[in-house]
Amino acid sequence: MAGIYIHIPFCRQACHYCNFHFSTSRGLENEFIASLLAEIPLQQGFLADQRVETVYFGGGTPSLLDGVHLNNIIGALRENFSISPDAEFTLEANPDDINETSLRTWKAAGINRLSIGIQSFYEEDLQWMNRAHTASQAITNLQLALEYFPNITIDLIYGSPGLTDEKWASNVQRVIGMGIPHISCYALTVEPKTALESLIRTHKREPVSAEDQARQFLLLMDWLKAAGYEHYEISNFALPGKRSKHNSAYWEGKKYLGLGPSAHSYDGANRQWNIANNSLYIQALKKGSVPFEQEILTPIQRLNEYIMTSLRTMEGMSLNIVSRLSDADTAAQLRRLSERLIREGLMREENDHLILSNEGKLFADGIASDLFREEPE
């Protein structure tokens, strides 16, 4: 089973914190769609003999697509890939793009899950982030979306200056009260070359507090556990049976194909990524080629990727799987290296699995890095 990701590289306006590939100019939109439709059959062989169980429209802002373009893309996917009858079709949407017409259009096209970028229900936070939607739209249009799509996930951001613990609690409790089945929560990250990084560097925005972020993350885990959500991946919480099938495939090491500029693909042994430039992407597809780079992963790289992704999940890292990916000696070494983390309360061992504690999740990337194996000389 495999997944397909489609990158739609256009946004209405630029959020200050975002470092994804996008353009606020839509002048190339029609040419992009033509190029995407040309890429789909060219990439058919990447998932040869694979049944596709998830399709994910990300970006950028896929909810900007008109119904004709969306239908054409989904039609081309169905023509060129073996898509499961009960496949999960997710569309990322901003609240300002949600209305009765768009919801009906998405549903008719085959979308059965929405990922809505709420970020906050407070106007001052949205303006601070330079979000395109208002707090009123976030509340009203989320309620409307639930009437058409019971399978919804929303994004929330914590740890931003001005987000008090009280406001953070209000954001989370509102989502719980609405019965949203899936929530993705991210600490505000100051990425290089973003507007936010420049604003903080020039003292036009307050710096981010790591202490506030850690505290709000710990509070979040307690609140959502009490409300019955599974913390199945560090940034993701779901009611039982409502996990994201598409994102779970990334953490489980399943194969996936990325279509569109900047999109990444993985076939179990190789990674490839399309060029992150709309014009060059279009020019290449006009000539009949997909503009991508590729990396062949070594056994050590595949092992380290498993360490990194598995530690992010509630199931943790299986030492039996480590043995299969490498050998029993490597699994024994990782168990020994984890003893200190277990003593410090950052990790626990259950059966053959090493699982991060709530406190350990604060340091997940660093812990994974400490456990990475080095390539033999």
Side-chain angles (χ1 to χ4, degrees):
M1 306 293 276
I4 294 176
Y5 171 83
I6 304 100
H7 190 81
I8 307 299
F10 302 105
C11 286
R12 201 178 304 281
Q13 68 186 47
C15 301
H16 285 160
Y17 55 84
C18 183
N19 73 334
F20 294 150
H21 171 67
F22 69 93
S23 171
T24 55
S25 170
R26 298 173 65 185
L28 294 175
E29 184 171 348
N30 288 333
E31 288 185 89
F32 159 73
I33 294 295
S35 299
L36 178 63
L37 293 174
E39 183 189 4
I40 289 171
L42 292 175
Q43 296 274 38
Q44 190 179 40
F46 193 86
L47 296 180
D49 303 322
Q50 293 288 313
R51 176 65 66 91
V52 174
E53 61 179 348
T54 66
V55 175
Y56 192 102
F57 287 85
T61 309
S63 54
L64 291 175
L65 285 174
D66 67 34
V68 173
H69 287 160
L70 182 61
N71 277 290
N72 287 341
I73 295 167
I74 291 177
L77 293 175
R78 292 192 181 280
E79 287 176 12
N80 288 276
F81 297 95
S82 175
I83 298 180
S84 174
D86 61 347
E88 176 189 87
F89 277 79
T90 303
L91 179 87
E92 288 185 352
N94 276 351
D96 47 305
D97 294 323
I98 294 174
N99 53 58
E100 296 224 8
T101 299
S102 63
L103 291 165
R104 290 195 190 102
T105 297
W106 299 336
K107 196 162 189 174
I111 300 299
N112 53 32
R113 183 174 182 269
L114 292 184
S115 176
I116 303 178
I118 298 292
Q119 314 313 350
S120 177
F121 293 102
Y122 286 91
E123 193 67 34
E124 61 269 25
D125 296 335
L126 298 173
Q127 291 178 2
W128 191 92
M129 299 175 198
N130 201 41
R131 294 289 293 171
H133 70 274
T134 65
S136 175
Q137 287 173 322
I139 297 167
T140 302
N141 292 349
L142 178 56
Q143 291 172 329
L144 178 63
L146 282 168
E147 297 177 17
Y148 289 82
F149 293 91
N151 194 7
I152 276 180
T153 179
I154 72 159
D155 290 350
L156 291 177
I157 287 178
Y158 62 88
S160 60
L163 183 71
T164 64
D165 291 351
E166 290 74 23
K167 287 169 63 178
W168 180 226
S170 175
N171 278 341
V172 175
Q173 292 305 321
R174 183 184 291 275
V175 173
I176 293 171
M178 294 179 74
I180 304 298
H182 188 286
I183 309 169
S184 297
C185 298
Y186 304 97
L188 181 70
T189 304
V190 183
E191 299 287 356
K193 299 181 181 180
T194 59
L196 181 58
E197 187 270 339
S198 176
L199 290 166
I200 291 175
R201 179 166 38 81
T202 56
H203 308 290
K204 295 176 182 176
R205 289 285 191 278
E206 292 179 56
V208 172
S209 166
E211 181 180 337
D212 289 347
Q213 291 190 334
R215 185 182 64 256
Q216 290 181 355
F217 184 48
L218 291 170
L219 288 170
L220 171 72
M221 288 187 279
D222 289 341
W223 295 333
L224 290 181
K225 180 179 180 180
Y229 287 79
E230 295 177 339
H231 190 184
Y232 73 101
E233 193 273 341
I234 281 184
S235 299
N236 289 274
F237 303 78
L239 294 174
K242 295 298 183 179
R243 296 186 185 190
S244 165
K245 294 179 182 178
H246 185 83
N247 289 342
S248 294
Y250 294 149
W251 307 315
E252 294 167 6
K254 293 183 179 179
K255 298 179 181 181
Y256 57 88
L257 169 65
L259 300 165
S262 81
H264 284 235
S265 305
Y266 175 66
D267 67 359
N270 306 295
R271 291 202 179 278
Q272 68 181 46
W273 52 96
N274 288 355
I275 192 168
N277 182 295
N278 292 351
S279 295
L280 295 179
Y281 171 82
I282 291 168
Q283 290 172 25
L285 267 302
K286 283 181 178 179
K287 297 175 182 177
S289 65
V290 182
F292 68 86
E293 295 182 57
Q294 187 178 57
E295 177 186 24
I296 301 173
L297 299 178
T298 67
I300 293 295
Q301 286 175 319
R302 292 200 294 272
L303 172 62
N304 287 342
E305 286 202 1
Y306 172 70
I307 292 171
M308 179 178 65
T309 55
S310 65
L311 284 177
R312 294 184 63 88
T313 68
M314 65 182 290
E315 290 79 16
M317 177 176 64
S318 166
L319 293 171
N320 283 336
I321 293 178
V322 170
S323 293
R324 292 204 301 271
L325 290 172
S326 183
D327 52 48
D329 287 344
T330 300
Q333 290 172 9
L334 288 176
R335 176 180 271 117
R336 287 195 298 272
L337 288 171
S338 300
E339 290 175 357
R340 175 185 59 82
L341 299 169
I342 294 171
R343 289 196 302 271
E344 294 175 356
L346 300 176
M347 181 181 281
R348 68 183 187 277
E349 183 175 357
E350 291 184 7
N351 299 321
D352 79 315
H353 288 74
L354 297 171
I355 304 169
L356 294 181
S357 66
N358 282 359
E359 291 72 20
K361 290 170 186 173
L362 295 171
F363 310 102
D365 290 344
I367 290 172
S369 179
D370 288 344
L371 296 177
F372 284 169
R373 305 290 82 202
E374 294 185 357
E375 296 280 1
E377 295 184 0

